[in-house]
Amino acid sequence: MTTKIQRNNNRVVLTAPLDGKPQPEDFKTISEPIPEPADGEMLIRHIYLSLDPYQRSMIAGRHGAARPLSEGDMPNGETVGQVVQSRHPSFAEGDYVRHFGGWQKYSVSDGTQTFTVDPEQAPLSTYVGVLGMPGLTAYASMIELAEVEAGQTVLVSAAHGPVGSMVGQIAIQQGATAIGIAGSDEKCRLVVEDLGFSACINYKNKRYPGSLEDALPNGADIYHDNVGGDMLAEALSVLKNYGPVILCGLISHYNDPS
Ligand SMILES: NC(=O)c1ccc[n+]([C@@H]2O[C@H](COP(=O)([O-])OP(=O)(O)OC[C@H]3O[C@@H](n4cnc5c(N)ncnc54)[C@H](OP(=O)(O)O)[C@@H]3O)[C@@H](O)[C@H]2O)c1
């Protein structure tokens, strides 16, 4: 007698509508049968899930969401995974793909916004990192919008994160100087020592915002803003006249009710 192996799909869902900063008890894992792909669909086993700040806004019904999520709803998110069963003409079993699979182990896709990725070209995780949305965001910011040039000084907040770290590194590649802002001495050490920024200011340090002025005696040519709020105001005080601000994100507001 053979025993049928049960394969379940673990999904993370909300226990209640989110109010303010998310807490562990706002989420729970549920187990459901793995869905069957229909004709023209494929089943994907997720390997990586990207947790990005915009997802907090999406849960609140912003960032293109049709409504706020509530109890039992699963947040969406971009994933890299492998096709384990295919009834889709353009995708074969074994293909690696990037798509919006959500906070779960398996998903079914009909091919919409689903792209094959090649693990021989780059590690799979990079397709939701430097070769994915954060990397392309940073590229668009520095190259397309700010048109950063050699000799300029770029200030970037959340400098240790996926977008900020790439913004600084692209600026440096273009011959500019990168100055970061981050939330701990350890993050700042990595930003300078590993990523090559010229300086990094810990905004939780007592000397902030004076330390920002110390690091930028001649001011910044460009500010890439990931945070908004008070940090934007402080950054503007060290931005040169007519210097561009790339308003990329407003992390300091994502837990706000509206
Ligand atoms: N990920 C993407 O592909 C993408 C695309 C487009 C736009 N964006 C936007 O770009 C920004 C950065 O994205 P990311 O994915 O690189 O984010 P991230 O760095 O992973 O964002 C989390 C970090 O933001 C900082 N932070 C959180 N709350 C803050 C607050 N109140 N004040 C100051 N800093 C705060 C914290 O770092 P510290 O400890 O250093 O404070 C935290 O570790 C976000 O606003 C996001 O919405 C991201």
Side-chain angles (χ1 to χ4, degrees):
M1 194 181 81
T2 54
T3 311
K4 196 171 176 204
I5 299 167
Q6 290 289 328
R7 294 193 312 158
N8 282 327
N9 186 23
N10 289 336
R11 324 176 76 209
V12 176
V13 299
L14 265 72
T15 55
L18 276 192
D19 182 16
K21 189 174 177 181
Q23 304 297 327
E25 57 273 21
D26 294 326
F27 304 92
K28 67 177 178 187
T29 304
I30 60 169
S31 195
E32 290 178 345
I34 292 178
E36 277 287 325
D39 266 350
E41 293 183 338
M42 68 194 115
L43 178 67
I44 300 162
R45 180 179 58 83
H46 301 159
I47 301 167
Y48 293 104
L49 163 66
S50 186
L51 293 177
D52 300 303
Y54 76 86
Q55 291 166 5
R56 175 63 186 91
S57 294
M58 228 167 51
I59 289 171
R62 303 188 289 262
H63 205 95
R67 59 169 177 82
L69 301 193
S70 57
E71 183 181 351
D73 288 333
M74 179 192 72
N76 204 354
E78 205 171 17
T79 49
V80 173
Q82 190 168 30
V83 177
V84 289
Q85 192 183 347
S86 182
R87 299 178 64 186
H88 192 289
S90 308
F91 295 88
E93 268 178 45
D95 281 354
Y96 290 98
V97 293
R98 177 178 68 200
H99 82 309
F100 280 88
W103 293 20
Q104 57 185 339
K105 190 67 192 168
Y106 290 87
S107 63
V108 165
S109 165
D110 64 2
T112 306
Q113 286 196 7
T114 304
F115 307 95
T116 48
V117 296
D118 184 355
E120 301 292 322
Q121 295 290 326
L124 284 173
S125 62
T126 60
Y127 291 101
V128 284
V130 61
L131 296 178
M133 196 162 46
L136 292 176
T137 299
Y139 180 88
S141 169
M142 284 296 99
I143 305 297
E144 302 289 337
L145 296 174
E147 298 180 336
V148 63
E149 290 174 3
Q152 290 189 313
T153 299
V154 176
L155 177 65
V156 53
S157 52
H160 184 265
V163 174
S165 61
M166 286 308 304
V167 162
Q169 289 174 90
I170 291 170
I172 294 164
Q173 276 186 350
Q174 297 302 112
T177 297
I179 309 287
I181 306 174
S184 74
D185 288 343
E186 177 60 5
K187 282 185 178 182
C188 277
R189 188 183 66 74
L190 292 168
V191 163
V192 172
E193 291 180 11
D194 289 4
L195 306 181
F197 284 46
S198 296
C200 179
I201 290 96
N202 176 358
Y203 69 92
K204 293 180 181 164
N205 194 305
K206 268 191 274 183
R207 286 190 52 242
Y208 177 84
S211 47
L212 200 54
E213 287 161 22
D214 295 345
L216 288 155
N218 301 316
D221 295 288
I222 299 165
Y223 177 49
H224 175 104
D225 187 17
N226 286 320
V227 170
D230 293 344
M231 198 172 284
L232 171 59
E234 297 299 350
L236 290 181
S237 73
V238 293
L239 189 67
K240 287 181 185 171
N241 283 346
Y242 309 112
V245 176
I246 310 299
L247 193 49
C248 176
L250 298 165
I251 293 179
S252 63
H253 292 294
Y254 290 174
N255 288 319
D256 293 352
S258 63

